[in-house]
Amino acid sequence: EPDSLPDRQAAPASRKSLVQSQPLGRSDSTRDKTAEIDALAEQIEELNRRKDQAPPGPQAAAAVEDEDDFTTCQFCGKQDPTWDEEALDKHYEESCPWLTCCEKCEQVVEIPFLREHAVTDCEARDPSDGAVVGSNASCPLCGEAIDPTEGGWTAHLLVAPGCPNNTRP
């Protein structure tokens, strides 16, 4: 019973914060690895959450059944029988019209999720700027209102003439 325990004097606030910030028995490297693992777990959760939300991207229509099939882009649906894993990666990095490079961190990101990336995932983000994710109902490249469904994004990014500010063909 908690009432039967002897009274203990509370630690001074500065000591308490020191104890909380440096758990006993953990080195800086262990804390760094733990923080890194926690960050990766959060990213996995976020990716799983995104997978269940609109817009899922054109991968639903152009789904690749075989994970070893590198001849079809899971984002724009482009097919090239000469592609291997390296060529498909090059397509993602340089020419897939569904993807873009984050101007701050240079990570390749799906255009419908570019704003969310800038606020939550971007390694170069400034947490103090107060930015919010907002809606994916407008294109982050040109500002045009978009039906925030797979069809709306597909029409805007993949159907000619496509987004006027998308630098990828």
Side-chain angles (χ1 to χ4, degrees):
E1 230 176 75
D3 292 337
S4 64
L5 294 175
D7 290 339
R8 294 186 186 187
Q9 186 175 6
S14 61
R15 182 173 167 229
K16 192 181 263 186
S17 63
L18 178 65
V19 171
Q20 289 173 348
S21 66
Q22 296 182 2
L24 294 176
R26 284 195 170 179
S27 67
D28 286 342
S29 130
T30 302
R31 280 191 302 277
D32 290 347
K33 290 293 181 190
T34 302
E36 189 176 331
I37 290 168
D38 290 345
L40 289 171
E42 286 177 24
Q43 288 177 356
I44 290 169
E45 287 175 24
E46 177 65 21
L47 289 172
N48 287 332
R49 183 183 65 77
R50 283 187 193 168
K51 188 169 53 172
D52 298 334
Q53 292 181 347
Q59 61 268 38
V64 178
E65 296 295 325
D66 182 2
E67 289 183 17
D68 293 331
D69 178 10
F70 301 107
T71 62
T72 304
C73 174
Q74 66 177 326
F75 300 103
C76 71
K78 182 176 180 178
Q79 295 181 322
D80 187 330
T82 65
W83 280 350
D84 57 10
E85 185 174 9
E86 187 176 315
L88 182 59
D89 285 344
K90 184 176 180 178
H91 167 75
Y92 292 154
E93 293 172 10
E94 298 176 2
S95 62
C96 179
W98 191 266
L99 304 173
T100 192
C101 219
C102 172
E103 291 178 359
K104 293 181 179 181
C105 72
E106 299 182 0
Q107 180 178 343
V108 175
V109 180
E110 292 182 62
I111 293 171
F113 296 111
L114 185 59
R115 283 190 186 99
E116 183 175 345
H117 164 79
V119 174
T120 60
D121 300 329
C122 182
E123 294 174 3
R125 75 183 180 280
D126 179 4
S128 66
D129 72 4
V132 294
V133 172
S135 167
N136 68 343
S138 68
C139 178
L141 302 181
C142 70
E144 182 178 322
I146 304 292
D147 174 11
T149 63
E150 179 180 333
W153 281 103
T154 298
H156 183 67
L157 297 173
L158 304 180
V159 177
C163 174
N165 291 352
N166 193 347
T167 58
R168 295 174 176 221

